[in-house]
Amino acid sequence: MTRTQQFHDHHFTELAFQARHLSPLRRLYRQMLAGCLADEFSFRASPGLHANMTWQYATSPAALAEFEHCLSESDLGESLSIVDGDSRLLAACFVIVDGDTPIQDFHVDYGQSEIPAGVTGTMLTPLIAFDPPFGHLDCREGLREFEYRYRIGEAILFDGKFEHRPQLAGSIEGGARVLVSWSIATEDERYRFAIQRVIDSQMPT
């Protein structure tokens, strides 16, 4: 089964890539934390799924271009053809968990009825290695529940209708769990407005 077939039949697939392609994003993340970004780079924080989670969205063209460059220069770029055959990057962020992760309900990223399966995708990969207390991803496909384990050099790409949740997990004092997240969607005009409305609801104003 190809990755495209797996994505459309099971609503998720996995991609491997050379971790060195994350180096520019790691540098950008360190600069963001240190408050020393160049003028053309900007991020804004948005509340995540719980009190200890923050989404740091790339809000300038230059910042978003760094996430796009990671796709174009690595095997992660295949994600754009897996989702609906011809898709684009709508948004990207660093997902930062600083503290414990409480139990969460399963959810989907694009639950709206006007957005069908197969036209949106979220791709996640760890920016830095996970320490043992950090949780991974609980997934549900129909009646089957399973765990996806984050690893450097591997990413999960899942459909907007794929049920998932961050695992209940502990934390390390002074250490944060950091994921890179790419939001991908079809170019089909029939769904563009509804998809953009979801993205706008998550991004800071």
Side-chain angles (χ1 to χ4, degrees):
M1 180 182 293
T2 67
R3 282 184 285 272
T4 299
Q5 289 173 324
Q6 184 184 23
F7 180 82
H8 289 283
D9 290 350
H10 300 282
H11 291 182
F12 82 98
T13 191
E14 300 173 37
L15 296 90
F17 66 101
Q18 293 185 331
R20 62 183 176 83
H21 292 294
L22 288 175
S23 296
L25 291 180
R26 292 190 182 112
R27 181 169 58 252
L28 192 64
Y29 174 73
R30 291 194 299 267
Q31 292 171 344
M32 183 192 72
L33 288 185
C36 59
L37 288 168
D39 290 343
E40 65 268 27
F41 295 99
S42 64
F43 288 83
R44 286 189 181 177
S46 183
L49 298 174
H50 55 84
N52 294 329
M53 177 185 285
T54 303
W55 296 321
Q56 284 282 356
Y57 275 99
T59 52
S60 68
L64 187 61
E66 289 294 315
F67 290 84
E68 289 179 312
H69 184 73
C70 184
L71 297 184
S72 64
E73 293 298 311
S74 75
D75 289 336
L76 294 177
E78 185 184 354
S79 60
L80 298 176
S81 62
I82 290 174
V83 179
D84 200 45
D86 184 18
S87 299
R88 64 190 178 102
L89 180 64
L90 287 185
C93 68
F94 296 119
V95 182
I96 305 167
V97 178
D98 191 2
D100 296 348
T101 299
I103 189 70
Q104 300 283 296
D105 293 331
F106 281 99
H107 69 279
V108 299
D109 287 353
Y110 297 86
Q112 291 75 5
S113 59
E114 61 266 42
I115 303 174
V119 300
T120 60
T122 300
M123 186 163 61
L124 299 173
T125 193
L127 184 67
I128 52 180
F130 268 38
D131 289 306
F134 293 147
H136 295 270
L137 191 69
D138 286 333
C139 306
R140 185 162 67 189
E141 181 189 7
L143 298 177
R144 183 174 75 100
E145 294 186 13
F146 61 97
E147 174 192 58
Y148 173 78
R149 296 188 65 81
Y150 294 115
R151 296 179 178 88
I152 293 292
E154 297 179 10
I156 182 170
L157 171 66
F158 52 83
D159 186 276
K161 304 299 187 184
F162 182 71
E163 292 187 275
H164 61 285
R165 66 182 180 188
Q167 286 183 337
L168 176 70
S171 57
I172 298 174
E173 185 175 354
R177 188 197 79 165
V178 186
L179 299 172
V180 184
S181 174
W182 292 266
S183 298
I184 297 164
T186 180
E187 294 273 22
D188 194 322
E189 291 287 347
R190 292 176 295 172
Y191 312 117
R192 180 172 292 187
F193 177 77
I195 292 170
Q196 190 62 53
R197 190 170 57 201
V198 174
I199 294 294
D200 291 344
S201 72
Q202 297 174 350
M203 293 186 67
T205 56

